[in-house]
Amino acid sequence: MRSFDALFEIAADRKGGVDALSKLLQPPANVEDIKQISDDRWLSGMSKSVFQAGFNWKVVDKMWPGFEAAFHGFDLGRCAMLTDEDLADLVSDKRIVRHGTKIRSVQANAVFLIDLANEHGSAAKAFADWPSNDFVGLLALLKKRGSRLGGMTGQYCLRFMGCDSFILSRDVTARLIAEGVVDKTPGSQKSMRAVQDAFNVWTSQSGRSLKEVSRVLAMSIG
């Protein structure tokens, strides 16, 4: 496994130099800012990531005001208490993508966020305080206790919400394979732990965030 400096040099050569590459790197949001995100915005962010998965992101973006209206601003209490009649109405609501299991995930994730808030004071605090050197643990939490938040969906959700995160895109995975961290797309607990260990080494070497390291890995390939 090459050092971060070696990977940074590869990426810089591909992107027109150190300065050009540096301009493409942005740190994650400040932890205190993440803590200020209201729990309804977490449900909105989760839901958007779920509905975008396997679908045209631009279409979902354009329709999102309709989603906000249909789900009452993603108020946790109202979404957690959706009745079968409410869910049936939503399945035929033309303001949203009418995907039954994804619609039901909004209710399940509202319950998940309420539970997190009860445990930590707010869902935002739970996410903001999670240590970046165990990001795979946070992904496992989303997969186990959330609905449809496994794999890339959970990774993109946390990235969009400002959390320090890596995304196992095609290019990042290709770099991990090239460095001998994994031999195929990671999915098992063992392979995800190997990925985390590699990122921990690179963040320690560079003093950079998971997000920045992830971007460097991606740009060393694509």
Side-chain angles (χ1 to χ4, degrees):
M1 188 174 91
R2 275 173 276 206
S3 68
F4 177 81
D5 285 346
L7 297 176
F8 189 91
E9 183 176 349
I10 293 171
D13 286 344
R14 294 183 61 84
K15 296 300 177 181
V18 172
D19 290 342
L21 175 60
S22 296
K23 290 178 181 178
L24 297 174
L25 303 179
Q26 295 181 338
N30 182 278
V31 168
E32 293 306 314
D33 290 338
I34 295 173
K35 288 182 180 179
Q36 300 306 311
I37 301 173
S38 61
D39 290 349
D40 63 283
R41 293 303 86 202
W42 280 100
L43 182 57
S44 177
M46 285 180 173
S47 301
K48 192 170 189 179
S49 295
V50 168
F51 277 95
Q52 285 180 327
F55 200 73
N56 187 307
W57 287 22
K58 290 183 179 180
V59 171
V60 175
D61 277 337
K62 186 175 181 180
M63 296 178 70
W64 203 248
F67 278 87
E68 291 282 349
F71 288 100
H72 310 289
F74 291 97
D75 176 83
L76 265 61
R78 294 192 69 168
C79 289
M81 297 298 291
L82 290 171
T83 65
D84 288 342
E85 183 178 353
D86 293 329
L87 293 167
D89 289 342
L90 286 164
V91 170
S92 61
D93 193 326
K94 294 182 179 180
R95 294 175 295 179
I96 67 174
V97 176
R98 290 165 286 173
H99 188 298
T101 56
K102 290 187 176 185
I103 290 170
R104 287 185 177 274
S105 76
V106 176
Q107 182 182 41
N109 286 326
V111 174
F112 167 45
L113 289 170
I114 289 171
D115 289 343
L116 277 185
N118 288 335
E119 294 163 12
H120 299 274
S122 72
K125 190 173 186 301
F127 293 122
D129 287 341
W130 198 280
S132 60
N133 63 3
D134 184 35
F135 181 64
V136 296
L138 182 52
L139 294 176
L141 176 76
L142 291 181
K143 181 179 181 179
K144 180 179 180 180
R145 296 179 58 183
S147 176
R148 302 183 72 90
L149 292 173
M152 300 281 288
T153 302
Q155 295 168 33
Y156 277 116
C157 173
L158 293 168
R159 172 68 62 82
F160 293 153
M161 296 303 291
C163 295
D164 192 13
S165 56
F166 56 71
I167 292 179
L168 298 178
S169 65
R170 180 183 62 185
D171 289 341
V172 171
T173 299
R175 175 51 64 192
L176 291 169
I177 292 172
E179 298 308 310
V181 176
V182 292
D183 58 7
K184 60 182 179 181
T185 301
S188 67
Q189 290 185 5
K190 182 179 179 181
S191 63
M192 290 298 286
R193 179 48 57 187
V195 169
Q196 181 74 67
D197 289 344
F199 269 92
N200 289 348
V201 169
W202 288 321
T203 58
S204 177
Q205 290 174 345
S206 64
R208 292 182 180 270
S209 64
L210 293 177
K211 179 183 178 182
E212 293 169 292
V213 172
S214 179
R215 292 283 290 144
V216 168
L217 264 59
M219 289 185 283
S220 71
I221 297 290

